[in-house]
Amino acid sequence: MKDAAGSRDIKIELTGLQKGLFFTIHIERVIVSTQSQKNIALASPLSSSPIMEGDRQSTAPPLVGGEKGEGGLLLTIHNVDIIPDLLSLLKLSPQININGQVNFGTVRGILFMKQANPDLFLDGENIQISGLPIIERIGIYGDGSLKFTYQRTNERGEVTLSIDNAKLKGALTGLGVLPLGVFKSVRGLLTIGDTLNVDSLAFEGMGIYMRIKGKIKESRFDGNIEMMIDSSFELHTVVESLLERYKISAGYYVIPYTQKI
């Protein structure tokens, strides 16, 4: 697992690894971090940079995120238990149960050893985003409860996620004028194959809806941000004036967006 991650600029460290009865394994901490500068740029929660840069053009240019960043912590999983399912062994369809804790929440999973590329199902709930590095590295700060599911079958993966009761801070890289605090919930769907497809990463608040769609390939995100705003949105006058070049129709904007990963 560590070797495979290393080939993708991801470093995995295991501490407190212990073997138990019936081939069980307990790991006190699994530390996942990046080991190069191929990271998403950090965005300060106090950022007030303009949403667009450069002179007004007839064809609106894409927003381009920064390329700063150094290797650093992404995720720490505590008290990981890896437990073979003995009944499944007797049925000759072995599976392994996985349990752990992430930032006060729980993660559970099943690994099906039916083929050379095992199927994996994971779900997590009640994970607090405050102090969660993998979230903060894309400029999302604050409080909220993260829930996700991940399934990998036939070498393809799918992730669904949601953040409820969100009290966010900061701003997405390149969108500093739009504070994430205006959004109260986040929903996402990502699919993983030869590329990572962001099918939908949606932010919703009073009078505003924002959806990010696109693909990540060769350390680069290319896609669009769709934004819908109505008069009940408290910052609609300011934001609409800045988004004028991206206007498709009244209250609806499509912004080309490029981000180094």
Side-chain angles (χ1 to χ4, degrees):
M1 180 174 65
K2 292 171 67 175
D3 289 344
S7 67
R8 299 173 184 269
D9 294 307
I10 297 294
K11 180 180 179 181
I12 295 179
E13 299 176 74
L14 310 177
T15 63
L17 190 150
Q18 300 174 340
K19 293 186 290 184
L21 296 176
F22 304 110
F23 305 102
T24 61
I25 295 173
H26 178 80
I27 307 171
E28 290 183 4
R29 288 193 302 170
V30 177
I31 302 170
V32 184
S33 59
T34 58
Q35 55 187 358
S36 76
Q37 294 188 0
K38 295 180 180 179
N39 308 319
I40 298 175
L42 292 170
S44 167
L46 301 178
S47 172
S48 59
S49 59
I51 197 169
M52 267 76 73
E53 296 180 354
D55 298 329
R56 186 179 182 89
Q57 301 177 24
S58 58
T59 300
L63 294 178
V64 179
E67 297 187 10
K68 294 182 179 180
E70 299 178 354
L73 180 66
L74 293 176
L75 185 67
T76 301
I77 310 172
H78 296 271
N79 299 319
V80 178
D81 290 307
I82 301 173
I83 306 170
D85 186 300
L86 298 181
L87 182 58
S88 70
L89 296 177
L90 296 176
K91 294 180 178 179
L92 302 180
S93 58
Q95 66 185 52
I96 297 173
N97 298 318
I98 304 168
N99 300 295
Q101 299 172 348
V102 176
N103 220 30
F104 304 104
T106 58
V107 176
R108 301 182 182 87
I110 302 175
L111 184 66
F112 293 92
M113 307 294 293
K114 294 182 179 181
Q115 53 206 26
N117 295 301
D119 293 342
L120 175 63
F121 295 85
L122 287 174
D123 66 77
E125 58 183 0
N126 298 321
I127 299 170
Q128 301 307 302
I129 66 170
S130 177
L132 191 62
I134 197 170
I135 296 293
E136 293 186 347
R137 288 177 71 83
I138 59 174
I140 299 178
Y141 302 80
D143 297 313
S145 180
L146 171 67
K147 180 179 181 180
F148 78 89
T149 61
Y150 169 73
Q151 60 180 22
R152 179 184 183 275
T153 57
N154 299 321
E155 300 186 49
R156 296 189 64 84
E158 180 179 286
V159 180
T160 61
L161 62 90
S162 63
I163 300 175
D164 293 317
N165 303 316
K167 297 178 181 178
L168 303 178
K169 301 176 183 178
L172 294 178
T173 303
L175 287 171
V177 76
L178 183 63
L180 289 176
V182 301
F183 300 107
K184 303 306 178 185
S185 67
V186 181
R187 299 284 184 273
L189 172 63
L190 300 88
T191 53
I192 306 166
D194 296 331
T195 61
L196 173 58
N197 298 316
V198 182
D199 297 284
S200 176
L201 184 59
F203 298 75
E204 190 168 0
M206 177 66 72
I208 184 169
Y209 177 86
M210 179 174 73
R211 181 170 61 185
I212 301 173
K213 298 176 67 176
K215 294 184 178 182
I216 298 174
K217 188 175 183 180
E218 297 179 351
S219 302
R220 191 177 188 87
F221 174 84
D222 286 301
N224 294 314
I225 298 175
E226 295 178 272
M227 198 173 298
M228 285 164 272
I229 301 171
D230 64 37
S231 59
S232 65
F233 176 49
E234 57 184 346
L235 299 175
H236 79 277
T237 302
V238 175
V239 174
E240 285 183 342
S241 65
L242 292 171
L243 293 177
E244 182 63 29
R245 72 180 70 179
Y246 299 107
K247 184 175 180 179
I248 302 299
S249 60
Y252 177 57
Y253 307 85
V254 177
I255 308 164
Y257 187 64
T258 298
Q259 172 70 61
K260 181 71 174 179
I261 302 295

